[in-house]
Amino acid sequence: METISYEVIRSGRGTVCIQILPPGRVVVRCPKGLSQARIQALVEEKTPWIQAHLARLAAQPDLPPFTREELADMTAQAKALLPALVERWAAAAGVDYGRITIRRQRGRWGSCSASGNLSFNCLLCRVPRETAEYVVVHELCHRLFLDHSPAFWARVEALMPDYRVHRQWLKDRGSALIRRMPR
Ligand SMILES: [Zn+2]
């Protein structure tokens, strides 16, 4: 069975609900006290239903390009989200970094310069949280290895054992988001 990448939003609500949001974000909304094991079991139980919805979304024609307002909004959200993720994962990876820049671009999800400046695509605020974290981990691992050598991937995997799920998400569903970036 395919592993599903999802994000969890805990709140004061009393019930669990699973939402599928374009372009393929799976969000589990649940009560504060629900254990991760229980959430995982629910997601596994609902996997056929989730996959049917994801397939339906994937079959939809492309949505129109993002508007100027949407882009400004996404950039603001990405600026609010990414520095905290970078700080946390840089500590876990034991690396330092320079400036963080949020870019509106079609080509890539993130980059890391030789001097440690990081740039991230504003679209990362529209992908599952753990997938955005994978991009952060990936770029921070370039502080240790500038290439995509086996040693680089081993370091990524050590920090994030399920990174392949997120890399695959970007390939399968991220492209629909990229296509909505204005040229
Ligand atoms: Zn890379």
Side-chain angles (χ1 to χ4, degrees):
M1 191 184 286
E2 185 192 332
T3 311
I4 288 181
S5 174
Y6 59 94
E7 63 195 87
V8 177
I9 299 177
R10 291 187 163 86
S11 68
R13 61 181 293 140
T15 56
V16 182
C17 98
I18 300 178
Q19 290 180 312
I20 316 293
L21 304 173
R25 258 175 90 195
V26 180
V27 179
V28 180
R29 295 184 184 275
C30 66
K32 281 201 182 88
L34 200 67
S35 71
Q36 181 56 39
R38 185 79 195 105
I39 293 167
Q40 180 63 32
L42 276 166
V43 168
E44 281 171 17
E45 186 185 314
K46 293 281 185 193
T47 290
W49 177 87
I50 293 168
Q51 283 180 333
H53 274 259
L54 290 174
R56 203 175 307 156
L57 267 183
Q60 278 177 358
D62 279 355
L63 293 162
F66 289 115
T67 64
R68 200 185 266 271
E69 290 72 27
E70 284 175 314
L71 288 168
D73 191 49
M74 286 192 291
T75 302
Q77 282 183 41
K79 278 184 177 156
L81 170 71
L82 286 156
L85 298 184
V86 170
E87 193 182 341
R88 183 149 49 82
W89 282 107
V95 299
D96 61 359
Y97 55 93
R99 275 195 318 275
I100 299 173
T101 311
I102 305 299
R103 296 215 161 93
R104 304 169 186 184
Q105 53 189 172
R106 292 176 63 89
R108 39 171 50 183
W109 292 100
S111 66
C112 175
S113 76
S115 56
N117 292 324
L118 302 167
S119 86
F120 296 103
N121 196 313
C122 70
L123 290 173
L124 288 174
C125 70
R126 294 282 188 112
V127 312
R129 177 62 54 88
E130 290 195 345
T131 304
E133 294 196 26
Y134 156 66
V135 175
V136 168
V137 167
H138 181 120
E139 298 313 334
L140 287 171
C141 284
H142 281 313
R143 294 295 288 139
L144 301 166
F145 306 94
L146 283 170
D147 53 13
H148 293 118
S149 58
F152 167 85
W153 288 113
R155 190 75 189 104
V156 171
E157 185 166 24
L159 288 163
M160 187 173 261
D162 65 347
Y163 79 92
R164 289 180 186 83
V165 175
H166 309 300
R167 196 174 53 169
Q168 196 60 39
W169 192 100
L170 292 173
K171 278 187 191 151
D172 293 345
R173 305 190 197 284
S175 51
L177 279 174
I178 297 268
R179 281 197 297 274
R180 296 187 64 197
M181 288 302 268
R183 285 179 192 280

